[in-house]
Amino acid sequence: MALLGVNIDHVATVRQARRTNEPDPVWAAALAELGGADGITLHLREDRRHIQDRDLRILRESVTVKLNLELAAAEDIVAIACEVHPDQATLVPERREEVTTEGGLDVVRHRAAVARAVDQLKAAGIGVSLFLDAEPRQIDLASKLGVEAVELHTGQYAGATPGPAQQAEFETLRKAGKQITDLGMTLHAGHGLTYRNVRPIAEIPHMHELNIGHSIVARAIMVGFERAVRDMRKLLEVGG
Ligand code: PXP
């Protein structure tokens, strides 16, 4: 069964809408754990639009499951990661004007910066994952950089019209998943996954971890955080 990493960024988005102290992503992480989350994921963006440094530091103390920090390959953020020491660091691309992460990291183009970040994180004893599009060249290079895992970007699949278009995106992800595991890396996936579209992705052979945020937070507003996480986790139980 794929493990569920619950991304709590958008709990902080609601808080930052008023710049107060509620809702607290730290509370959400605790409820996610009660709901069966296997990991807590958060993205410390350079513009600090949702998660704040304080969140990361408290979560490092309070989270008892895997703590996965998403970050750009930028010197100041990598330094924070090395100091706070999450269990896993996932390198993602970042542009200030984007609404959310819009695509995988272009490791081919930014090889030097990514390699430097990977080396620093690994030297600090942090497991490194790269968030990539399902492109063979990118995946090959990830393997050469010596990372532990690749998180496949599922945004195109999630955004495709159900039917042949979505099936074609799924096939691309499935093949990329095989390439990743054949190269000895661990397979993760995420972005845009929902209660409706997650099952086929969870059933890709050797799928180890799914990172899901927006859809869970959206449901949590209606039914509560613990239940929203529990419902998603149930869907990941293949055959369940
Ligand atoms: N994985 C990565 C690398 C991401 O950047 C994000 C979005 O922050 C997610 C997963 C979760 O995406 P969503 O919020 O659409 O579930």
Side-chain angles (χ1 to χ4, degrees):
M1 191 195 94
L3 302 176
L4 174 60
V6 176
N7 182 316
I8 54 171
D9 291 348
H10 295 309
V11 176
T13 301
V14 176
R15 177 190 62 193
Q16 295 311 111
R18 286 295 173 89
R19 305 214 190 294
T20 62
N21 56 6
E22 64 180 4
D24 192 334
V26 175
W27 289 29
L31 291 166
E33 283 197 34
L34 287 175
D38 302 290
I40 299 296
T41 294
L42 67 162
H43 185 175
L44 185 69
R45 293 185 73 106
E46 291 187 89
D47 63 11
R48 305 295 197 277
R49 70 170 69 156
H50 40 51
I51 293 294
Q52 305 296 306
D53 298 59
R54 161 269 181 207
D55 302 328
L56 174 61
R57 285 174 207 283
I58 298 177
L59 286 163
R60 173 64 294 184
E61 297 289 320
S62 66
V63 167
T64 66
V65 290
K66 178 178 183 177
L67 188 70
N68 174 36
L69 177 66
E70 294 177 3
L71 73 164
E75 245 173 70
D76 49 340
I77 304 278
V78 171
I80 293 172
C82 290
E83 188 202 325
V84 176
H85 214 280
D87 302 300
Q88 175 175 281
T90 301
L91 290 170
V92 301
E94 216 176 275
R95 286 193 304 120
R96 275 170 198 268
E97 63 274 23
E98 70 193 359
V99 175
T100 179
T101 314
E102 284 168 355
L105 193 59
D106 189 343
V107 204
V108 175
R109 189 159 164 209
H110 303 292
R111 179 176 185 155
V114 175
R116 201 178 320 121
V118 168
D119 289 347
Q120 283 173 324
L121 293 161
K122 280 172 67 178
I126 302 166
V128 182
S129 172
L130 299 183
F131 183 55
L132 300 182
D133 288 325
E135 281 177 21
R137 248 177 10 136
Q138 302 282 348
I139 294 166
D140 264 333
L141 189 47
S143 162
K144 293 197 178 95
L145 293 181
V147 297
E148 212 169 280
V150 170
E151 178 172 334
L152 281 177
H153 178 236
T154 50
Q156 272 96 340
Y157 160 83
T161 308
Q166 193 168 52
Q167 192 53 36
E169 295 294 347
F170 176 77
E171 275 309 309
T172 305
L173 289 168
R174 199 184 51 73
K175 280 196 200 121
K178 182 167 184 329
Q179 184 189 355
I180 291 163
T181 52
D182 284 351
L183 285 166
M185 296 182 286
T186 306
L187 175 60
H188 301 172
H191 209 280
L193 296 176
T194 69
Y195 295 82
R196 285 185 194 281
N197 68 20
V198 74
R199 277 301 285 266
I201 300 295
E203 287 172 8
I204 290 176
H206 307 294
M207 183 56 71
H208 183 72
E209 174 182 310
L210 295 176
N211 286 300
I212 309 179
H214 187 267
S215 189
I216 292 176
V217 174
R219 183 174 289 215
I221 290 170
M222 305 297 167
V223 305
F225 219 91
E226 188 181 339
R227 179 167 150 202
V229 170
R230 200 176 295 290
D231 289 351
M232 182 59 85
R233 193 152 187 292
K234 187 100 190 74
L235 283 173
L236 304 193
E237 287 166 17
V238 175

